[in-house]
Amino acid sequence: MVQAWYMDDSAEDQRRPHRLDPDQPVTVQQLSELGVHSYKLDADNYESDPELAKIRKENNYTWMDIITIHKDTLPNYEQKLKIFYEEHLHLDDEIRYILEGSGYFDVRDKEERWIRIFMQKGDMITLPAGIYHRFTLDENNYVKAMRLFVGEPIWTPYNRPAENFDARTKYLQFLEQKA
Ligand code: KMT
Ligand code: NI
């Protein structure tokens, strides 16, 4: 199961875990109430994995590519990492599957507190359209991830505040109905 916890608000390096003391873990159930879903898959066999094929088929994730985030492989590495770590939302779901390495996806809970989700090899996550989130590498400074999308991808991030989008309104309604 994917590990997640509430973050401290210290200004130290974003790549550090930022766990509270004492630790305040977040369960997959709590994540699912925010519309965040995770799967554990066999990353060594992603090319022929029937489980992955099933998820893609059931959710219509027709499009995919693989991104490698490392200073020697990603063009404009520093700039991209900065963009990834700006709090933002998208108008579509963000779906990521970690094939190698690791990193953190941070999402806001209902009270606007940051939850840090530790994503390692084999972890897949779906972030709903309209949720505020961000991504950072951890101290290993390396991740290889599959990006999935329903149809032609639109990556545009809308940095906070981005309240006036349908996707945001719908997401807030979803949270409301869960409350
Ligand atoms: C994103 O959109 O934040 C990313 O693609 C981050 C890297 S995927 C592990
Ligand atoms: Ni994003």
Side-chain angles (χ1 to χ4, degrees), residues 51-68:
E51 264 190 87
L52 175 62
K54 184 161 174 270
I55 292 168
R56 290 188 63 183
K57 192 166 180 197
E58 285 178 355
N59 296 282
N60 203 24
Y61 299 154
T62 49
W63 191 94
M64 74 93 149
D65 75 354
I66 291 171
I67 183 172
T68 302

Side-chain angles (χ1 to χ4, degrees), residues 7 85 104-107 114-117 132-134:
M7 287 184 77
Y85 204 60
Y104 297 122
F105 283 91
D106 300 336
V107 297
W114 279 120
I115 293 171
R116 175 148 278 194
I117 305 167
Y132 284 123
H133 66 279
R134 63 188 181 191

Side-chain angles (χ1 to χ4, degrees), residues 63-145:
W63 191 94
M64 74 93 149
D65 75 354
I66 291 171
I67 183 172
T68 302
I69 306 182
H70 182 270
K71 64 176 167 26
D72 302 330
T73 61
L74 189 69
N76 302 316
Y77 171 79
E78 293 293 344
Q79 189 199 345
K80 284 206 180 112
L81 287 182
K82 219 180 238 174
I83 292 169
F84 290 154
Y85 204 60
E86 285 282 327
E87 181 174 4
H88 64 272
L89 59 74
H90 306 281
L91 308 187
D92 302 279
D93 292 1
E94 178 165 320
I95 306 126
R96 298 290 184 271
Y97 173 24
I98 308 300
L99 302 177
E100 289 176 14
S102 50
Y104 297 122
F105 283 91
D106 300 336
V107 297
R108 291 281 190 189
D109 80 351
K110 290 173 201 178
E111 281 85 45
E112 311 275 358
R113 295 172 68 201
W114 279 120
I115 293 171
R116 175 148 278 194
I117 305 167
F118 181 42
M119 296 278 298
Q120 296 171 276
K121 180 172 175 176
D123 292 328
M124 180 189 271
I125 198 166
T126 65
L127 307 181
I131 192 174
Y132 284 123
H133 66 279
R134 63 188 181 191
F135 172 81
T136 181
L137 288 173
D138 62 22
E139 289 164 291
N140 292 315
N141 288 311
Y142 171 67
V143 77
K144 179 176 164 186

